[in-house]
Amino acid sequence: MNTMKWLLKREYWEHKGGFFWAPVVVSGLLALLTIGSMLFATVAGSQGSFHLDGNNAAINLQQALNDISDPQKIDFAKGLAVGYPAVAMPLMFTLGFVVFFYCLGCLYDERKDRSILFWKSLPVSDRDTVVSKALTALVVGPIIAIAFALALSLVVLFTLMVLAAFHGLNLFGLVLGDANFYLVIAQIVSFIPVYVLWALPTVGYLMFVSSWAKTKPFLWAVGVPVVGGVILTWVNALAGSPFVLESYWKIIVARGLGSVFPGSWLGHVAEYNADINPDNAVSVLLANTYSLLGTSDLWIGVVVGLAFLAGAIRMRRYRDEG
């Protein structure tokens, strides 16, 4: 366990730019955009009326807030208590790119710069090394991204409530007194186990290509399935479309390459399109997400991902470092 802890630290230190600084930059940009927009609306509203959507419809922010009824105020607070993490969704999209390119380069780069000669001189097995890289992609990266996402969401939420209070609309008691405000944090963290299982085939595949490719791993990992699909589609068209290639693009390309993006499983959840009200939005989404545990799609992907990781371990053990 002590060895694995240091291996995980090594991966974080070597790829801090992707796992730490990328969320920092994206969080900063999102905070600047959202808080700046709110400040602009507040300043414009405090000075009188301003226009929206180019319709020349003047809106007085102060008057609009004063006209909110108590039921509307309660509904608005409930929506904020449940939906405040939504502002940080671009961070989750960023996580997908970070994990994708990390997995694609983590075993290739150490052969390219020949640092593998140093790491193999240490009493650390190839299995532990590959497993630590997989855990970094599947667990460490999502935890860091979620931490930044929640921090950003809370900053934006509290800024919004302060600005609303500046105009006479006090939401602090309603939002902070809502149990969903605290429950949603635990619910978001609860997505991580499903993400680990769902992303495993893509992580395993990319790490296998990273351990195998002697050059240009991106072209091998992405180009082969995509070009193969284009060729199959072309041949299928010439032959009068005797084959249905939708499954190829859905399973091999979309599922095989895109599972590292959080939420990519939603298209596979049968009840995802059910009506969701603000009181149970995250709860319903979490329940539907965990319904994947009863599907063969998830577990076949887990088996495939583990097989690719086993292949990556073997490749790292016997691949020529030169």
Side-chain angles (χ1 to χ4, degrees):
M1 291 299 296
N2 190 55
T3 299
M4 183 58 65
K5 180 183 72 173
W6 283 106
L7 287 173
L8 292 175
K9 286 185 177 181
R10 165 209 166 186
E11 294 302 317
Y12 173 73
W13 290 334
E14 289 189 350
H15 300 89
K16 192 174 181 179
F19 289 113
F20 179 80
W21 289 113
V24 167
V25 172
V26 174
S27 297
L29 292 175
L30 288 173
L32 181 64
L33 178 63
T34 54
I35 295 176
S37 299
M38 290 188 293
L39 289 173
F40 171 78
T42 300
V43 172
S46 64
Q47 294 177 349
S49 300
F50 61 97
H51 298 268
L52 292 176
D53 300 330
N55 295 325
N56 294 322
I59 297 177
N60 186 286
L61 182 61
Q62 185 69 58
Q63 185 63 42
L65 293 177
N66 290 336
D67 291 341
I68 294 179
S69 64
D70 288 339
Q72 290 175 327
K73 181 179 176 181
I74 293 174
D75 290 340
F76 182 52
K78 285 183 177 180
L80 288 178
V82 174
Y84 69 92
V87 70
M89 287 304 295
L91 269 176
M92 298 296 100
F93 192 67
T94 303
L95 171 66
F97 282 104
V98 170
V99 171
F100 185 95
F101 287 102
Y102 165 77
C103 293
L104 196 56
C106 62
L107 294 172
Y108 170 78
D109 290 341
E110 65 178 9
R111 287 186 290 112
K112 182 180 178 181
D113 61 19
R114 301 184 68 83
S115 62
I116 190 174
L117 299 175
F118 168 75
W119 294 113
K120 280 196 171 187
S121 68
L122 300 178
V124 179
S125 67
D126 295 288
R127 180 201 62 191
D128 290 346
T129 300
V130 172
V131 168
S132 70
K133 294 176 184 295
L135 288 175
T136 300
L138 293 169
V139 180
V140 177
I143 289 176
I144 295 174
I146 287 176
F148 275 102
L150 290 175
L152 170 65
S153 300
L154 290 171
V155 169
V156 172
L157 175 64
F158 276 87
T159 303
L160 173 62
M161 292 193 294
V162 168
L163 295 177
F166 176 78
H167 286 280
L169 181 62
N170 188 352
L171 298 171
F172 282 94
L174 291 173
V175 173
L176 298 181
D178 193 323
N180 287 321
F181 173 77
Y182 309 97
L183 182 60
V184 72
I185 297 176
Q187 290 174 329
I188 290 175
V189 174
S190 298
F191 281 100
I192 293 179
V194 176
Y195 176 79
V196 171
L197 296 175
W198 184 257
L200 189 56
T202 301
V203 168
Y205 167 69
L206 294 175
M207 290 182 64
F208 175 77
V209 174
S210 183
S211 67
W212 169 80
K214 288 189 174 182
T215 183
K216 298 178 177 63
F218 180 83
L219 292 181
W220 285 107
V222 179
V224 170
V226 171
V227 173
V230 171
I231 293 175
L232 288 175
T233 302
W234 178 64
V235 172
N236 197 40
L238 292 179
S241 301
F243 308 109
V244 179
L245 297 178
E246 181 180 354
S247 296
Y248 176 89
W249 290 105
K250 183 178 179 180
I251 298 174
I252 303 299
V253 179
R255 173 85 163 92
L257 296 177
S259 295
V260 291
F261 289 89
S264 59
W265 57 75
L266 295 179
H268 298 256
V269 177
E271 300 178 0
Y272 173 63
N273 292 321
D275 289 337
I276 299 177
N277 63 64
D279 292 334
N280 66 357
V282 182
S283 299
V284 171
L285 188 58
L286 184 61
N288 288 340
T289 294
Y290 268 89
S291 69
L292 284 170
L293 296 178
T295 64
S296 59
D297 190 12
L298 177 76
W299 295 109
I300 291 174
V302 170
V303 172
V304 171
L306 292 175
F308 274 125
L309 286 179
I313 293 172
R314 186 172 180 82
M315 277 290 177
R316 189 180 189 274
R317 183 175 301 153
Y318 298 111
R319 191 64 159 161
D320 178 16
E321 293 83 4

